[in-house]
Amino acid sequence: MKVQSRYDDDTSVAVLETANQRLTSEFSPARLHFHEKITANNVEYRGVHPIVALESHNEHLAPLISKALRALPLSSDDPSAPSITLQSGAGDLERRKPDLISVTRGPGLLPSLSTGLQTAKGLAVAWQIPLIGVNHMQAHALTPRLVSALESQSHKERQHEPAFPFLSLLVSGGHTLLVHSRALAHHAILASTTDIAVGDVIDKASRFILPREIFETSKDVMYGRLLEEFAFPSGQEYGSYKAPSTRGEEISRRPSRWGWALAAPLAETRSGSKSKAMEYSFSGLGSAVERICKGRETAIPLDERVDLAREVMRVAFEHLASRVVMALNSMDETRTEDDDRIGTLVASGGVASNQFLRKV
């Protein structure tokens, strides 16, 4: 059983079963018996409000666990396995007891994390089973391997995908990390943000760029998705996008027809040394958008808003991609015959759903 409650507005519980790897090959298929999440309503605040999120966790976690318990495999499926008894109006229900319980331990805000942690601890003590605290970002990196196990109908001549080693670009509203994964518990951070996350700057830019009517009609606070839909309404407008062919082209400003130009993050530091640093920075990009949009004597034309939305995403996403390219080049230069070549880049986190990011 898996429990999640952290900073964001999602409360989630899942029941997962994997084959006993002592009895199978290295590849172990998986089955998801239950997975459900409930999202808090933060529309009034135009973003996740910590108190609203906490109240939602407290309200919904116990009911979700109750539903998950009824989705546990029947004890009759394996009479030798330990079981638990669930009370029901139709009589007692015998279900197989979970072998372990995992719970999000961070990163995140302590009050939200504590809701899941304390609940999971109570279940682990009551059932006398192991408790495993999971780093949320590590889980993001390993999620594709879980998906490959869930999609497998047979473990014969199969292996988890992606195979180790691989790179993960973990991009969300709270985190921006480039991670090198060598094994299940062996992960190295190659680059991280020194200020705000890429999802944070996209959200902040959305508040300045999007017309007011979009906020008034939106039923959620996924402003990154709203900005993408506003900039690329058909999803095809970025089909002609071409990546920069040189480093100089990448970090150079591109003046718009409206008179403004956005600088690539870390490209214009005094010494110039930061332009190739293995780090991310997005606060300057957010400030530039604010300067362009604030203090205007007239309303910003719709066409200019669209152009600015596209340019913000281009600059932010090329900044993400540049460190991936730099990491791969560095690995190629230092790789020995015994080192396996990186074969996969995983893009995970909320921002990874952006189709333009995938194109970049």
Side-chain angles (χ1 to χ4, degrees):
M1 179 175 287
K2 178 261 185 187
V3 174
Q4 173 177 300
S5 67
R6 49 187 195 89
Y7 169 75
D8 67 14
D9 46 1
D10 288 338
T11 307
S12 177
V13 176
V15 175
L16 179 74
E17 183 178 10
T18 60
N20 188 337
Q21 294 197 26
R22 291 174 297 178
L23 303 178
T24 66
S25 64
E26 180 180 349
F27 181 82
S28 179
R31 178 183 178 186
L32 192 63
H33 292 282
F34 177 85
H35 180 219
E36 188 172 329
K37 73 174 182 178
I38 295 178
T39 302
N41 186 352
N42 285 279
V43 174
E44 177 183 354
Y45 302 97
R46 292 194 176 184
V48 177
H49 192 295
I51 300 300
V52 173
L54 178 60
E55 291 174 346
S56 181
H57 295 322
N58 287 325
E59 178 182 355
H60 296 120
L61 186 54
L64 284 178
I65 290 176
S66 294
K67 293 179 68 174
L69 290 175
R70 282 159 175 74
L72 290 168
L74 297 172
S75 58
S76 58
D77 294 344
D78 186 359
S80 64
S83 64
I84 57 175
T85 302
L86 308 178
Q87 293 183 347
S88 170
D92 292 343
L93 303 174
E94 294 292 326
R95 294 289 189 267
R96 283 170 53 191
K97 186 170 71 172
D99 299 296
L100 59 88
I101 184 166
S102 65
V103 60
T104 308
R105 62 174 174 82
L109 291 183
L110 183 58
S112 291
L113 291 171
S114 294
T115 304
L117 280 166
Q118 301 307 326
T119 302
K121 287 179 181 179
L123 292 173
V125 171
W127 292 335
Q128 290 294 286
I129 60 175
L131 173 73
I132 298 177
V134 177
N135 180 287
H136 176 72
M137 304 313 293
Q138 183 175 345
H140 268 310
L142 295 175
T143 294
R145 291 173 60 85
L146 170 61
V147 172
S148 72
L150 290 172
E151 292 176 345
S152 172
Q153 298 299 316
S154 171
H155 64 271
K156 295 180 180 179
E157 299 180 356
R158 288 289 308 277
Q159 66 174 3
H160 290 298
E161 298 292 342
F164 293 112
F166 60 87
L167 293 184
S168 295
L169 187 62
L170 309 181
V171 284
S172 67
H175 304 279
T176 305
L177 297 172
L178 180 61
V179 178
H180 182 199
S181 297
R182 295 180 180 271
L184 284 176
H186 188 176
H187 309 273
I189 298 176
L190 304 181
S192 64
T193 179
T194 58
D195 39 57
I196 64 175
V198 60
D200 192 6
V201 75
I202 295 297
D203 283 349
K204 289 180 177 178
S206 301
R207 290 175 171 86
F208 290 110
I209 297 172
L210 293 176
R212 181 180 296 275
E213 54 267 25
I214 292 182
F215 293 112
E216 294 174 347
T217 57
S218 175
K219 296 182 180 180
D220 58 45
V221 293
M222 305 298 288
Y223 296 148
R225 176 180 58 78
L226 294 178
L227 189 69
E228 180 186 6
E229 293 173 353
F230 176 71
F232 308 109
S234 72
Q236 304 298 320
E237 291 85 353
Y238 48 76
S240 60
Y241 169 80
K242 293 183 178 180
S245 58
T246 65
R247 178 66 174 159
E249 181 183 348
E250 175 200 331
I251 63 176
S252 62
R253 289 176 180 254
R254 301 185 186 181
S256 71
R257 55 177 169 156
W258 310 100
W260 46 257
L262 297 178
L266 303 179
E268 298 178 359
T269 55
R270 291 182 178 180
S271 65
S273 60
K274 287 288 187 179
S275 67
K276 294 184 178 180
M278 285 299 294
E279 60 187 53
Y280 292 114
S281 175
F282 297 98
S283 61
L285 181 59
S287 298
V289 173
E290 182 176 1
R291 287 194 297 270
I292 291 171
C293 296
K294 271 191 163 185
R296 300 282 287 262
E297 296 181 356
T298 58
I300 303 175
L302 189 63
D303 286 350
E304 184 177 358
R305 292 178 185 270
V306 171
D307 287 351
L308 184 55
R310 292 178 179 179
E311 186 67 356
V312 167
M313 286 188 279
R314 180 194 68 80
V315 172
F317 296 161
E318 286 185 356
H319 183 46
L320 291 174
S322 68
R323 270 50 188 175
V324 175
V325 173
M326 289 163 59
L328 290 172
N329 288 338
S330 176
M331 289 178 180
D332 277 344
E333 293 173 359
T334 59
R335 189 171 65 90
T336 66
E337 294 182 357
D338 296 330
D339 293 332
D340 292 328
R341 183 182 293 274
I342 298 292
T344 303
L345 170 66
V346 171
S348 187
V351 182
S353 64
N354 189 297
Q355 296 298 314
F356 183 43
L357 171 59
R358 300 185 185 192
K359 175 70 174 180
V360 173

